[in-house]
Amino acid sequence: MLADNIFLKIINKQIPAKIAYEDDACLAFHDVNQQAPVHVLIIPKQIIRTHDEVGTGDKELMGHLHLVAVRLAKELGLGDGYRLVINCKEDGGQSVPHLHMHLLGGRPLAWPPG
Ligand code: AMP
């Protein structure tokens, strides 16, 4: 699963993406396989492969990713609500080996997920 990291190529601008937000610590871009009217991926620039690699030294970074999600949700018109998802490894459905937060919204989202 963790063989290839296409998101590093997006961070390094080696492949294109529709960027929604960028700063020194993170990048947010629209998912190519959109699952809702708004589907943005928020990723750290630092390499963290999966959510279970997050450590105590990453507290500020993780908080920052959430603040970026709040900012984007406002900018992208998600005032009625949204969902944040982090898939972790095989059972979580993670397909790209670089930590990423999905920001989904723009329609009512069903629960539970599949
Ligand atoms: P996950 O299944 O949680 O690992 O999510 C990976 C997401 O990355 C999927 O929703 C893919 O559609 C998305 N994705 C893969 N490659 C790209 C790409 N080049 N640009 C934008 N999104 C991508």
Side-chain angles (χ1 to χ4, degrees):
M1 174 205 50
L2 301 176
D4 192 28
N5 183 350
I6 196 169
F7 290 174
L8 272 187
K9 295 191 174 116
I10 292 177
I11 291 169
N12 294 325
K13 309 287 173 12
Q14 292 165 313
I15 61 169
K18 192 178 163 198
I19 292 174
Y21 175 84
E22 180 168 18
D23 62 27
D24 288 346
C26 76
L27 182 69
F29 52 94
H30 294 268
D31 198 297
V32 279
N33 185 18
Q34 197 178 324
Q35 299 299 319
V38 173
H39 187 175
V40 170
L41 302 172
I42 304 166
I43 70 173
K45 289 188 171 175
Q46 173 187 332
I47 298 175
I48 301 175
R49 289 178 303 171
T50 68
H51 190 262
D52 62 0
E53 284 187 5
V54 172
T56 53
D58 302 315
K59 283 182 187 174
E60 189 174 338
L61 175 63
M62 295 305 290
H64 182 64
L65 298 183
H66 279 270
L67 291 173
V68 170
V70 170
R71 173 187 171 140
L72 283 171
K74 288 191 178 114
E75 287 179 2
L76 297 171
L78 303 183
D80 288 338
Y82 54 87
R83 184 170 296 165
L84 297 175
V85 174
I86 297 176
N87 296 323
C88 182
K89 303 200 307 196
E90 286 87 352
D91 278 3
Q94 182 179 2
S95 61
V96 177
H98 187 106
L99 177 71
H100 48 284
M101 182 184 282
H102 297 254
L103 169 64
L104 296 146
R107 66 168 171 84
L109 297 164
W111 190 263

Coordinates of all heavy atoms in Angstrom, one line a residue, residues 16-70:
P16 N 0.3 18.4 -11.6 CA -0.7 19.5 -11.3 C -1.8 19.1 -10.3 O -2.1 17.9 -10.2 CB -1.3 19.8 -12.6 CG -1.1 18.6 -13.4 CD 0.1 17.8 -12.9
A17 N -2.3 20.0 -9.6 CA -3.5 19.8 -8.8 C -4.2 21.2 -8.7 O -3.6 22.2 -8.9 CB -3.1 19.4 -7.4
K18 N -5.5 21.1 -8.4 CA -6.3 22.3 -8.2 C -6.1 22.8 -6.7 O -6.8 22.2 -5.9 CB -7.7 22.1 -8.6 CG -8.6 23.3 -8.7 CD -10.0 22.9 -9.2 CE -10.9 24.1 -8.9 NZ -12.3 23.7 -8.9
I19 N -5.2 23.7 -6.5 CA -4.9 24.0 -5.1 C -5.9 25.0 -4.6 O -6.2 26.0 -5.2 CB -3.4 24.6 -5.1 CG1 -2.4 23.5 -5.4 CG2 -3.1 25.2 -3.7 CD1 -1.0 23.9 -5.6
A20 N -6.3 24.7 -3.3 CA -7.3 25.5 -2.6 C -6.6 26.4 -1.6 O -7.2 27.5 -1.2 CB -8.4 24.6 -2.0
Y21 N -5.5 25.9 -1.1 CA -4.8 26.7 0.0 C -3.4 26.1 0.1 O -3.2 24.9 -0.1 CB -5.5 26.5 1.4 CG -4.8 27.1 2.5 CD1 -4.9 28.5 2.8 CD2 -3.9 26.4 3.3 CE1 -4.2 29.1 3.8 CE2 -3.2 27.0 4.3 CZ -3.4 28.3 4.6 OH -2.6 28.9 5.6
E22 N -2.5 27.0 0.4 CA -1.1 26.6 0.7 C -0.4 27.5 1.6 O -0.6 28.7 1.6 CB -0.3 26.5 -0.7 CG 1.1 26.0 -0.5 CD 1.8 25.7 -1.8 OE1 1.4 26.2 -2.9 OE2 2.9 25.0 -1.8
D23 N 0.4 26.9 2.5 CA 1.3 27.7 3.4 C 2.6 26.9 3.6 O 2.7 25.8 2.9 CB 0.6 28.2 4.7 CG 0.2 27.0 5.6 OD1 0.8 25.9 5.5 OD2 -0.8 27.2 6.3
D24 N 3.4 27.3 4.5 CA 4.7 26.6 4.7 C 4.5 25.2 5.2 O 5.3 24.3 4.9 CB 5.6 27.3 5.7 CG 6.1 28.6 5.1 OD1 6.1 28.8 3.8 OD2 6.6 29.5 5.8
A25 N 3.4 24.9 5.9 CA 3.2 23.7 6.6 C 2.3 22.7 5.9 O 2.4 21.5 6.1 CB 2.7 23.9 8.0
C26 N 1.4 23.2 5.0 CA 0.5 22.3 4.4 C 0.0 22.8 3.1 O 0.2 23.9 2.6 CB -0.7 22.1 5.4 SG -1.9 23.5 5.4
L27 N -0.7 21.9 2.4 CA -1.3 22.1 1.1 C -2.7 21.5 1.1 O -2.9 20.5 1.6 CB -0.4 21.4 0.0 CG -0.7 21.6 -1.4 CD1 -0.5 23.1 -1.9 CD2 0.1 20.7 -2.3
A28 N -3.6 22.3 0.4 CA -4.9 21.7 0.3 C -5.3 21.8 -1.2 O -5.0 22.8 -1.9 CB -6.0 22.5 1.1
F29 N -5.9 20.7 -1.7 CA -6.2 20.7 -3.2 C -7.4 19.8 -3.4 O -7.8 19.0 -2.5 CB -5.0 20.1 -4.0 CG -4.5 18.8 -3.5 CD1 -4.9 17.6 -4.1 CD2 -3.5 18.8 -2.5 CE1 -4.4 16.4 -3.6 CE2 -3.0 17.6 -2.1 CZ -3.5 16.4 -2.6
H30 N -8.1 20.1 -4.5 CA -9.4 19.4 -4.7 C -9.1 17.9 -5.2 O -8.2 17.7 -6.0 CB -10.2 20.1 -5.8 CG -10.7 21.4 -5.3 ND1 -11.9 21.6 -4.8 CD2 -10.0 22.7 -5.3 CE1 -12.0 22.9 -4.4 NE2 -10.9 23.6 -4.8
D31 N -9.9 17.0 -4.6 CA -9.7 15.6 -4.9 C -10.1 15.3 -6.4 O -11.1 15.9 -6.9 CB -10.6 14.7 -4.0 CG -10.2 13.3 -3.9 OD1 -10.3 12.6 -5.0 OD2 -9.8 12.8 -2.9
V32 N -9.3 14.5 -7.1 CA -9.7 14.2 -8.5 C -10.9 13.3 -8.6 O -11.5 13.3 -9.7 CB -8.5 13.5 -9.3 CG1 -7.5 14.5 -9.7 CG2 -7.9 12.4 -8.5
N33 N -11.2 12.6 -7.6 CA -12.3 11.7 -7.6 C -13.3 12.1 -6.6 O -13.5 11.5 -5.5 CB -11.9 10.2 -7.4 CG -13.0 9.2 -7.5 OD1 -14.0 9.5 -8.1 ND2 -12.8 8.1 -6.9
Q34 N -14.0 13.2 -6.9 CA -14.8 14.0 -6.0 C -16.0 13.2 -5.5 O -16.8 12.6 -6.3 CB -15.3 15.2 -6.8 CG -15.8 16.3 -6.0 CD -16.2 17.5 -6.9 OE1 -15.5 17.7 -7.9 NE2 -17.3 18.2 -6.6
Q35 N -16.2 13.1 -4.2 CA -17.3 12.3 -3.6 C -18.4 13.2 -3.1 O -19.4 12.6 -2.5 CB -16.7 11.4 -2.4 CG -15.7 10.4 -2.9 CD -16.2 9.4 -3.9 OE1 -17.3 9.0 -3.8 NE2 -15.4 9.1 -4.9
A36 N -18.3 14.5 -3.2 CA -19.3 15.4 -2.8 C -19.0 16.7 -3.5 O -17.9 16.9 -4.1 CB -19.2 15.6 -1.3
P37 N -20.0 17.6 -3.6 CA -19.8 18.9 -4.3 C -18.5 19.6 -3.9 O -17.8 20.2 -4.7 CB -21.0 19.7 -4.0 CG -22.1 18.7 -3.7 CD -21.4 17.5 -3.0
V38 N -18.1 19.5 -2.6 CA -16.8 20.0 -2.2 C -16.1 18.8 -1.6 O -16.6 18.0 -0.7 CB -16.9 21.1 -1.0 CG1 -15.5 21.4 -0.5 CG2 -17.6 22.3 -1.6
H39 N -14.9 18.5 -2.2 CA -14.0 17.4 -1.7 C -12.6 17.9 -1.8 O -12.0 17.8 -2.9 CB -14.3 16.1 -2.4 CG -13.6 14.9 -1.9 ND1 -13.8 13.7 -2.4 CD2 -12.7 14.8 -0.9 CE1 -13.0 12.8 -1.7 NE2 -12.3 13.5 -0.8
V40 N -12.1 18.3 -0.7 CA -10.7 18.9 -0.7 C -9.8 18.0 0.2 O -10.3 17.5 1.2 CB -10.7 20.3 -0.2 CG1 -9.3 20.8 0.1 CG2 -11.4 21.2 -1.2
L41 N -8.6 17.8 -0.2 CA -7.6 17.1 0.7 C -6.7 18.1 1.3 O -6.1 18.9 0.6 CB -6.8 16.1 -0.2 CG -7.7 15.0 -0.9 CD1 -6.8 14.2 -1.9 CD2 -8.4 14.1 0.1
I42 N -6.5 17.9 2.6 CA -5.6 18.8 3.3 C -4.4 18.0 3.8 O -4.6 17.0 4.5 CB -6.3 19.5 4.5 CG1 -7.5 20.3 4.0 CG2 -5.3 20.5 5.2 CD1 -8.5 20.7 5.1
I43 N -3.2 18.3 3.4 CA -2.1 17.4 3.7 C -0.9 18.2 4.3 O -0.7 19.4 3.9 CB -1.6 16.7 2.4 CG1 -0.9 17.6 1.4 CG2 -2.7 15.9 1.7 CD1 -0.2 16.9 0.2
P44 N -0.2 17.6 5.2 CA 1.0 18.3 5.7 C 2.1 18.2 4.6 O 2.2 17.2 3.8 CB 1.4 17.5 6.9 CG 0.9 16.1 6.7 CD -0.4 16.3 5.8
K45 N 3.0 19.2 4.6 CA 4.2 19.0 3.7 C 5.2 18.1 4.2 O 5.9 17.4 3.5 CB 4.8 20.4 3.4 CG 3.8 21.3 2.5 CD 4.5 22.6 2.1 CE 3.6 23.3 1.1 NZ 4.1 24.6 0.7
Q46 N 5.2 18.0 5.5 CA 6.1 17.0 6.2 C 5.6 15.6 5.9 O 4.4 15.4 5.8 CB 6.0 17.3 7.7 CG 6.7 16.4 8.7 CD 6.3 16.7 10.1 OE1 6.0 17.9 10.4 NE2 6.3 15.7 11.0
I47 N 6.5 14.7 5.7 CA 6.1 13.3 5.4 C 5.7 12.6 6.7 O 6.5 12.3 7.6 CB 7.3 12.6 4.8 CG1 7.6 13.2 3.4 CG2 6.9 11.1 4.6 CD1 8.8 12.6 2.7
I48 N 4.4 12.3 6.8 CA 3.8 11.5 7.8 C 3.0 10.5 7.0 O 2.0 10.9 6.3 CB 2.9 12.2 8.8 CG1 3.7 13.3 9.5 CG2 2.3 11.3 9.8 CD1 2.8 14.2 10.4
R49 N 3.3 9.2 7.0 CA 2.7 8.3 6.1 C 1.2 7.9 6.4 O 0.4 7.8 5.6 CB 3.5 7.0 5.9 CG 4.8 7.3 5.2 CD 5.6 6.0 5.1 NE 5.9 5.5 6.4 CZ 6.5 4.3 6.7 NH1 6.8 3.5 5.7 NH2 6.7 3.9 7.9
T50 N 1.0 7.7 7.7 CA -0.3 7.3 8.2 C -0.7 8.0 9.5 O 0.2 8.5 10.2 CB -0.4 5.8 8.4 OG1 0.4 5.5 9.6 CG2 0.0 5.0 7.2
H51 N -2.0 8.0 9.8 CA -2.4 8.7 11.0 C -1.8 8.1 12.3 O -1.5 8.8 13.2 CB -3.9 8.7 11.1 CG -4.5 9.6 12.2 ND1 -4.8 9.1 13.4 CD2 -4.7 10.9 12.2 CE1 -5.2 10.1 14.2 NE2 -5.1 11.2 13.5
D52 N -1.5 6.8 12.3 CA -0.9 6.3 13.5 C 0.6 6.5 13.6 O 1.2 6.1 14.5 CB -1.2 4.8 13.6 CG -0.7 3.9 12.5 OD1 -0.1 4.4 11.6 OD2 -0.9 2.7 12.6
E53 N 1.2 7.3 12.7 CA 2.5 7.8 12.8 C 2.6 9.2 13.5 O 3.6 9.7 13.8 CB 3.2 7.9 11.5 CG 3.7 6.6 10.9 CD 4.5 6.7 9.6 OE1 4.9 7.9 9.2 OE2 4.9 5.7 9.1
V54 N 1.4 9.8 13.7 CA 1.3 11.1 14.3 C 1.8 11.0 15.8 O 1.4 10.1 16.5 CB -0.1 11.7 14.3 CG1 -0.2 12.9 15.1 CG2 -0.5 11.9 12.9
G55 N 2.7 11.9 16.1 CA 3.3 11.8 17.5 C 3.1 13.1 18.2 O 2.5 14.1 17.7
T56 N 3.6 13.1 19.5 CA 3.5 14.3 20.3 C 4.1 15.6 19.7 O 3.6 16.7 19.9 CB 4.1 14.1 21.7 OG1 5.4 13.7 21.5 CG2 3.3 13.1 22.5
G57 N 5.1 15.4 18.9 CA 5.8 16.5 18.2 C 4.9 17.1 17.1 O 5.3 18.1 16.5
D58 N 3.8 16.4 16.7 CA 3.0 16.9 15.6 C 1.7 17.6 16.1 O 0.8 17.8 15.3 CB 2.6 15.7 14.7 CG 3.8 15.0 14.2 OD1 4.8 15.6 13.7 OD2 3.8 13.7 14.3
K59 N 1.6 17.9 17.4 CA 0.4 18.5 17.9 C 0.1 19.8 17.2 O -1.1 20.0 16.8 CB 0.5 18.8 19.4 CG 0.4 17.6 20.3 CD 0.5 18.0 21.7 CE 0.6 16.9 22.7 NZ 0.8 17.3 24.1
E60 N 1.1 20.7 17.0 CA 0.8 22.0 16.4 C 0.4 21.8 15.0 O -0.6 22.4 14.5 CB 2.0 22.9 16.5 CG 1.7 24.3 16.1 CD 2.9 25.2 16.3 OE1 3.8 24.9 17.2 OE2 3.0 26.2 15.7
L61 N 1.1 20.9 14.3 CA 0.8 20.6 12.9 C -0.7 20.1 12.7 O -1.4 20.6 11.9 CB 1.8 19.6 12.3 CG 1.5 19.2 10.9 CD1 1.6 20.3 9.9 CD2 2.5 18.1 10.5
M62 N -1.0 19.2 13.6 CA -2.4 18.6 13.4 C -3.4 19.6 13.7 O -4.5 19.7 13.1 CB -2.5 17.4 14.4 CG -1.6 16.2 14.0 SD -1.8 15.6 12.3 CE -3.4 14.9 12.3
G63 N -3.2 20.5 14.7 CA -4.1 21.6 15.0 C -4.2 22.5 13.8 O -5.3 23.0 13.5
H64 N -3.1 22.8 13.2 CA -3.0 23.6 12.0 C -3.9 23.1 10.9 O -4.6 23.8 10.3 CB -1.6 23.8 11.6 CG -1.4 24.7 10.5 ND1 -1.8 26.1 10.5 CD2 -1.0 24.5 9.2 CE1 -1.5 26.7 9.3 NE2 -1.1 25.7 8.5
L65 N -3.8 21.8 10.7 CA -4.6 21.2 9.6 C -6.1 21.4 9.9 O -6.9 21.7 8.9 CB -4.3 19.7 9.5 CG -2.9 19.3 9.1 CD1 -2.8 17.8 8.9 CD2 -2.4 20.0 7.8
H66 N -6.5 21.3 11.1 CA -7.9 21.5 11.5 C -8.3 23.0 11.3 O -9.4 23.3 10.8 CB -8.1 21.1 12.9 CG -8.4 19.6 13.1 ND1 -9.6 19.0 13.0 CD2 -7.5 18.6 13.2 CE1 -9.5 17.7 13.1 NE2 -8.2 17.4 13.3
L67 N -7.4 23.9 11.6 CA -7.7 25.3 11.4 C -7.8 25.6 9.9 O -8.7 26.4 9.5 CB -6.7 26.2 12.1 CG -6.7 26.2 13.6 CD1 -5.5 26.9 14.2 CD2 -8.0 26.8 14.1
V68 N -7.0 25.0 9.1 CA -7.1 25.2 7.6 C -8.4 24.6 7.2 O -9.1 25.2 6.3 CB -5.9 24.5 6.9 CG1 -6.1 24.5 5.4 CG2 -4.6 25.3 7.2
A69 N -8.9 23.5 7.7 CA -10.2 22.9 7.4 C -11.3 23.9 7.7 O -12.2 24.1 6.9 CB -10.4 21.6 8.1
V70 N -11.2 24.5 8.9 CA -12.3 25.5 9.2 C -12.3 26.7 8.2 O -13.3 27.1 7.8 CB -12.0 26.0 10.7 CG1 -12.9 27.2 11.0 CG2 -12.2 24.9 11.7

